[in-house]
């Protein structure tokens, strides 16, 4: 089975004169349907990795293959199309467009990429129902709670039926209870839809619920391991 | 375009918290000024041109001697001796019907009419004034110069061998009314008695003071011309074609041909300068509006950078983002064009409807400011407004398109 993402010696530096290496030659792959948690201290390169994996940015060195395509072979429009077709993003803040209602926000990736079919509309509405926003299609983002806004952002990321969802601290702006609920929702969607998820979190208890944990340290991958669900359960029991 | 760009642009425009109103207003002011100023200048110039050209033929073919001056350039009071000098050298146009037919065949010529011009005196009782006698076929003369709104009293078409038309000034000077009799003496010493059939106001003092219109045959007799005439008067369909037609006529005759444009060079230059000045003012206003729109739009792009970043993360290409903001510029241009030309046209009609109570001009009630509204100004201003919106949005759209999504989102 071809991986959705494969990174080879992936490096990223910022600055021209004084270079900060945010990623220092990372080898990494994501398989279909995986649920990966990225953990690590602030500044360890988690967001940088996510942006490169999502073709939102270009590596300084090394190569990255997204859905079989090496990103350096694509121009900016090509990258944009690749994002639109295969990737969905969720960020710490919901970034919903204030001028559009919930349904319109969730449909946005479809509007960008193609003519919206009846099927597409149905799919987005079902997703909104699924995340508990069935009655809020016409609401404006500002009328929703933080948790609800983040759910709309999640549905929006799923609208184009991507192969991979990248979430950079999606619960970072929510209280722990709402954060746990959103995290729970993501794991459920991963199981139901078979879409791969890769998310950054600071919360170890949440991270333990992932199938795989990647720990970043100083621009390197310090650890990358599959979580034994039984062990995870005991972990969270101990922690709880 | 899949409608995505249009959706975003439209929502941005209708939910912009005042920016749209501001930018549309800026464009509207520019458009309004173009429409209003153009109508104003056009109106003023139509009045001026009407004054200058309305009472003289567009083109005149004359057999007069080189030092014979046109009527409106005579400044000193004419005396019999100078008048004699001027006309004794004058030649005549024989077989003028053939010339008339040849000129009438030139494209763009509307009316060709023969005339006899000469100098003389008008006497009433003990009073005598100098006169420029013009013998015409009244029905044709009416079509050569616009007399319709210039007859103050009487009927110009009655002008013939017994009836004459004189100007308001001469009528005042001599204290005559329609129906009174006058004696006209040509500089060849022929005297005839006439009845005043009409009094005109050509808008030019000199003409009102000295011009005397009589029937062609009467003038031919007074100047002993037999069947000959001294002038052929021409009206062109387009008055600004006068020079071209004059040149055409010069190709078929050795007589002196003068177009109104040649005898009013400085007037035309003044008009041209007015137009240039107006164009500069309009251009600068439009530029100021465009800069205003551009700067508001740049601020708008900065405000919307997060939205732009997130749209890019969802797959929006640079081109799509650029199109969003270009469309917004065009939308602002269109809105400004509609608003500006609406208000501008309204203002034109309002100003035009302001009449000076009681005062008449050219048979109509005089307006305080003569405005000439033209739909073409609205079309022009609207095209310019759209172009302005487009130009003003280029830099903001480019900035939006080049925005780095990682940066935009990182600065959350
Ligand atoms: N645009 C940028 N310009 C300069 N340095 C950056 C930029 N983005 C990230 N960095 C640096 O790269 C390193 C990794 O950042 P990041 O990937 O955001 O870490 P994390 O998400 O793990 O907190 C940090 O040292 C950060 O300061
Ligand atoms: Mg980060």
């Amino acid at each position: 089975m071809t991986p959705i993402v494969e990174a080879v010696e992936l490096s990223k530096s910022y600055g021209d004169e004084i270079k900060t290496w945010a990623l220092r030659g990372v080898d990494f792959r994501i398989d279909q349907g995986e649920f990966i948690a990225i953990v690590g201290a602030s500044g360890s390169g988690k967001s940088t990795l996510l942006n490169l994996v999502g073709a939102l940015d270009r590596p300084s060195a090394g190569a990255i293959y997204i859905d079989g395509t090496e990103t350096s072979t694509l121009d900016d429009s090509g990258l944009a199309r690749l994002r639109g077709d295969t990737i969905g993003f969720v960020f710490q803040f919901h970034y919903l467009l204030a001028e559009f209602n919930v349904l319109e926000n969730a449909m946005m990736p479809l509007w960008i990429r193609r003519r919206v079919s009846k099927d597409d509309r149905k799919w987005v509405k079902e997703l909104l129902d699924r995340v508990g926003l069935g009655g809020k299609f016409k609401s404006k983002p500002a009328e929703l709670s933080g948790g609800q806004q983040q759910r709309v952002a999640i549905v929006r990321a799923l609208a184009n039926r991507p192969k991979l969802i990248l979430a950079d601290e999606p619960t970072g702006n929510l209280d722990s209870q709402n954060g746990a609920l959103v995290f729970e929702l993501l794991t459920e969607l991963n199981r139901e839809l078979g879409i791969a998820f890769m998310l950054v979190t600071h919360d170890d208890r949440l991270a333990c619920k992932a199938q795989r944990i990647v720990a970043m340290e100083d621009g390197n991958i310090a650890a990358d391991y599959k979580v034994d669900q039984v062990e995870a359960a005991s972990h969270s029991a101990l922690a709880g | 375009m899949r409608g995505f760009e249009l959706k975003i642009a439209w929502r941005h425009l209708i939910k912009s918290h005042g920016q749209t109103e501001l930018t549309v207003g800026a464009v509207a002011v520019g458009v309004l000024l173009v429409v209003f100023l153009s109508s104003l200048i056009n109106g003023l110039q139509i009045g001026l041109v009407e004054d200058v050209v309305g009472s003289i033929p567009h083109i005149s073919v004359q057999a007069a001697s080189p030092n014979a001056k046109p009527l409106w350039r005579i400044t000193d009071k004419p005396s019999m001796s100078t008048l004699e000098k001027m006309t004794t050298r004058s030649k005549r146009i024989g077989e003028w019907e053939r010339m008339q037919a040849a000129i009438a065949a030139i494209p763009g010529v509307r009316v060709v009419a023969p005339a006899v011009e000469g100098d003389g005196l008008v006497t009433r009782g003990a009073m005598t004034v100098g006169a420029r006698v013009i013998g015409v076929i009244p029905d044709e003369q009416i079509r050569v110069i616009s007399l319709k709104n210039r007859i103050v009293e009487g009927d110009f078409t009655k002008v013939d061998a017994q009836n004459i038309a004189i100007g308001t000034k001469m009528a005042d000077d001599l204290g005559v009314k329609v129906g009174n009799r006058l004696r006209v003496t040509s500089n060849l010493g022929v005297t005839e008695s006439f009845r005043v059939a009409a009094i005109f106001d050509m808008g030019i003092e000199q003409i009102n003071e000295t011009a005397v219109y009589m029937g062609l045959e009467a003038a031919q007799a007074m100047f002993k011309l037999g069947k000959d005439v001294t002038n052929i008067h021409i009206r062109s369909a387009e008055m600004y074609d006068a020079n071209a037609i004059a040149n055409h006529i010069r190709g078929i005759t050795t007589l002196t041909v003068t177009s109104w444009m040649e005898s009013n060079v400085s007037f035309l230059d003044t008009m041209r300068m007015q137009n240039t000045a107006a164009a500069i003012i309009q251009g600068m206003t439009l530029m100021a509006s465009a800069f205003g729109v551009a700067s508001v739009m740049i601020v708008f792009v900065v405000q919307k950078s997060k939205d732009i970043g997130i749209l890019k993360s969802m797959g929006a290409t640079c081109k799509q983002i650029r199109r969003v903001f270009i469309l917004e510029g065009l939308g602002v241009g269109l809105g400004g064009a509609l608003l500006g030309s609406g208000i501008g046209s309204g203002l034109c009609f309002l100003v035009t409807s302001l009449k000076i109570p009681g005062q008449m001009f050219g048979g109509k009630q005089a307006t305080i400011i003569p405005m000439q509204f033209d739909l073409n100004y609205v079309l022009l201003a609207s095209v310019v407004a759209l172009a302005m919106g487009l130009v003003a949005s280029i830099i903001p759209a480019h900035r939006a398109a080049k925005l780095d999504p990682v940066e935009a989102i990182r600065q959350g």
Side-chain angles (χ1 to χ4, degrees):
Chain A
M1 202 162 60
T2 54
I4 298 168
V5 173
E6 180 153 28
V8 182
E9 284 289 306
L10 196 63
S11 299
K12 179 74 184 176
S13 68
Y14 293 106
D16 292 326
E17 306 242 315
I18 307 154
K19 284 192 174 157
T20 319
W21 286 93
L23 276 186
R24 302 165 188 268
V26 169
D27 293 301
F28 181 73
R29 64 180 273 172
I30 304 171
D31 285 315
Q32 285 175 24
E34 273 196 299
F35 195 101
I36 306 167
I38 311 273
V39 295
S42 180
S44 57
K46 305 183 295 292
S47 296
T48 303
L49 179 64
L50 228 67
N51 292 338
L52 290 176
V53 165
L56 209 53
D57 211 348
R58 289 176 184 278
S60 307
I64 184 158
Y65 298 83
I66 298 173
D67 206 19
T69 308
E70 212 255 286
T71 57
S72 69
T73 64
L74 298 173
D75 62 2
D76 287 353
S77 302
L79 278 191
R81 268 177 228 120
L82 183 66
R83 284 197 293 274
D85 290 341
T86 40
I87 315 269
F89 282 97
V90 180
F91 299 95
Q92 184 177 354
F93 302 98
H94 58 83
Y95 295 129
L96 298 173
L97 305 190
E99 298 91 352
F100 293 87
N101 67 30
V102 165
L103 184 60
E104 290 166 335
N105 263 290
M107 303 268 283
M108 198 62 72
L110 294 164
W111 286 347
I112 293 172
R113 291 296 292 133
R114 57 172 184 263
R115 216 173 278 284
V116 180
S117 68
K118 260 196 187 141
D119 253 17
D120 290 330
R121 270 188 99 79
K122 207 173 131 222
W123 161 250
V124 172
K125 284 182 174 175
E126 278 171 9
L127 283 173
L128 285 170
D129 280 337
R130 168 67 187 82
V131 303
L133 291 167
K136 300 274 185 188
F137 290 177
K138 291 268 157 68
S139 301
K140 285 290 152 69
E143 296 160 10
L144 304 179
S145 71
Q148 288 174 323
Q149 289 168 335
Q150 202 59 316
R151 281 159 212 266
V152 180
I154 291 166
V155 172
R156 179 176 66 182
L158 289 165
N160 260 349
R161 304 173 203 259
K163 294 187 172 159
L164 171 65
I165 297 280
L166 299 170
D168 197 346
E169 301 185 39
T171 62
N173 204 36
L174 301 173
D175 59 55
S176 60
Q177 198 185 344
N178 267 308
L181 284 172
V182 164
F183 192 93
E184 193 66 35
L185 177 64
L186 291 173
T187 57
E188 284 167 20
L189 289 168
N190 165 251
R191 260 181 268 124
E192 289 165 26
L193 305 171
I195 295 171
F197 278 69
M198 173 168 162
L199 65 93
V200 173
T201 181
H202 281 305
D203 192 326
D204 287 344
R205 279 194 304 172
L206 295 181
C208 288
K209 293 182 181 167
Q211 297 166 4
R212 180 180 156 196
I213 295 177
V214 173
M216 299 284 301
E217 205 178 287
D218 223 3
N220 288 304
I221 294 180
D224 182 346
Y225 55 95
K226 297 253 193 275
V227 177
D228 182 329
Q229 290 304 318
V230 180
E231 190 190 340
S234 67
H235 252 277
S236 59
L238 283 173
Chain B
M1 206 182 301
R2 292 178 183 81
F4 152 74
E5 292 93 328
L6 218 94
K7 282 194 180 90
I8 301 278
W10 179 247
R11 282 297 163 90
H12 276 176
L13 286 177
I14 60 172
K15 305 207 167 168
S16 72
H17 304 289
Q19 274 121 331
T20 303
E21 287 85 340
L22 206 66
T23 47
V24 166
V27 175
V29 167
V31 170
L32 190 151
L33 189 104
V34 170
V35 171
F36 191 78
L37 203 58
S38 298
S39 301
L40 184 65
I41 289 190
N42 190 28
L44 290 171
Q45 289 189 345
I46 283 181
L48 284 173
V49 170
E50 182 65 13
D51 282 347
V52 169
V53 189
S55 52
I56 59 169
H58 290 167
I59 303 144
S60 184
V61 176
Q62 46 201 350
S65 60
N67 67 344
K69 296 170 187 168
L71 180 67
W72 51 94
R73 288 211 210 126
I74 298 172
T75 46
D76 40 11
K77 279 265 172 205
S79 69
M80 209 44 160
S81 63
T82 56
L83 287 176
E84 227 155 347
K85 223 195 289 172
M86 281 166 67
T87 37
T88 42
R89 289 198 208 154
S90 77
K91 298 173 199 133
R92 47 178 68 186
I93 306 175
E95 297 189 344
W96 54 266
E97 288 92 342
R98 267 173 51 192
M99 174 77 70
Q100 184 183 28
I103 293 171
I106 297 170
V109 170
R110 184 177 282 170
V111 189
V112 187
V116 170
E117 288 194 26
D119 294 297
L121 299 169
V122 175
T123 312
R124 185 186 193 221
M127 277 181 292
T128 299
V129 294
R132 179 72 174 169
V133 176
I134 308 158
V136 296
I137 302 166
D139 289 336
E140 292 194 6
Q141 191 64 18
I142 281 174
R143 295 169 60 218
V144 169
I145 61 178
S146 34
L147 279 165
K148 224 179 289 162
N149 296 325
R150 297 172 187 272
I151 303 303
V152 178
E153 220 187 321
D155 182 359
F156 190 86
T157 57
K158 292 226 168 75
V159 165
D160 58 16
Q162 281 87 43
N163 293 288
I164 56 170
I166 60 172
T168 46
K169 181 76 163 51
M170 183 182 281
D172 281 351
D173 288 349
L174 298 174
V176 295
K177 292 199 190 73
V178 167
N180 292 157
R181 298 199 74 85
L182 291 173
R183 284 195 306 137
V184 181
T185 307
S186 76
N187 56 359
L188 300 180
V190 182
T191 300
E192 286 291 342
S193 173
F194 294 90
R195 197 184 74 94
V196 175
I199 295 172
F200 55 78
D201 178 358
M202 298 292 191
I204 296 176
E205 186 84 349
Q206 204 83 49
I207 296 180
N208 289 346
E209 188 177 359
T210 59
V212 173
Y213 283 95
M214 62 177 62
L216 189 67
E217 284 87 5
Q220 281 169 333
M222 291 200 93
F223 294 100
K224 299 179 178 167
L225 288 166
K227 289 280 166 216
D228 294 348
V229 298
T230 60
N231 292 56
I232 291 175
H233 291 165
I234 297 136
R235 186 179 185 87
S236 49
E238 258 306 317
M239 67 177 177
Y240 290 104
D241 288 345
N243 274 350
I245 293 170
N247 284 332
H248 207 280
I249 298 171
R250 285 189 189 105
I252 57 174
T253 178
T254 53
L255 297 168
T256 308
V257 182
T258 318
S259 80
W260 76 270
M261 294 167 80
E262 289 158 355
S263 45
N264 292 282
V265 171
S266 63
F267 168 75
L268 284 172
D269 278 349
T270 309
M271 288 223 311
R272 220 166 279 139
M273 261 148 59
Q274 265 184 6
N275 288 334
T276 309
I280 289 171
I281 293 171
Q282 291 168 342
M284 290 198 314
T285 310
L286 292 176
M287 258 170 67
S289 298
F291 277 122
V293 173
S295 53
V296 172
M297 277 189 75
I298 284 175
V299 172
F300 189 67
V301 166
V302 172
Q303 286 174 344
K304 289 290 171 197
S305 59
K306 294 230 155 28
D307 289 12
I308 296 164
I310 201 74
L311 287 170
K312 285 189 166 183
S313 83
M314 287 187 258
T317 61
C318 296
K319 273 187 200 154
Q320 285 180 305
I321 297 294
R322 181 176 285 118
R323 279 200 291 257
V324 166
F325 288 92
I326 297 277
L327 279 172
E328 285 178 33
L330 287 173
V332 165
L334 187 68
L338 291 176
L339 188 69
S341 51
I343 297 178
S345 319
L347 218 58
C348 286
F349 287 117
L350 193 75
V351 170
T352 313
S353 66
L354 296 175
K355 309 276 189 204
I356 307 170
Q359 195 167 324
M360 302 293 282
F361 177 80
K364 288 180 285 189
Q365 191 150 39
T367 49
I368 292 172
I369 305 170
M371 300 262 289
Q372 188 65 37
F373 176 77
D374 191 333
L375 206 61
N376 282 329
Y377 298 143
V378 172
L379 291 178
L380 175 75
S382 301
V383 168
V384 170
L386 279 178
M388 249 168 71
L390 187 70
V391 169
S393 66
I394 286 175
I395 291 174
H398 184 72
R399 285 205 181 180
K402 288 282 152 253
L403 199 122
D404 178 5
V406 175
E407 278 302 305
I409 292 165
R410 207 169 71 100
Q411 285 155 8

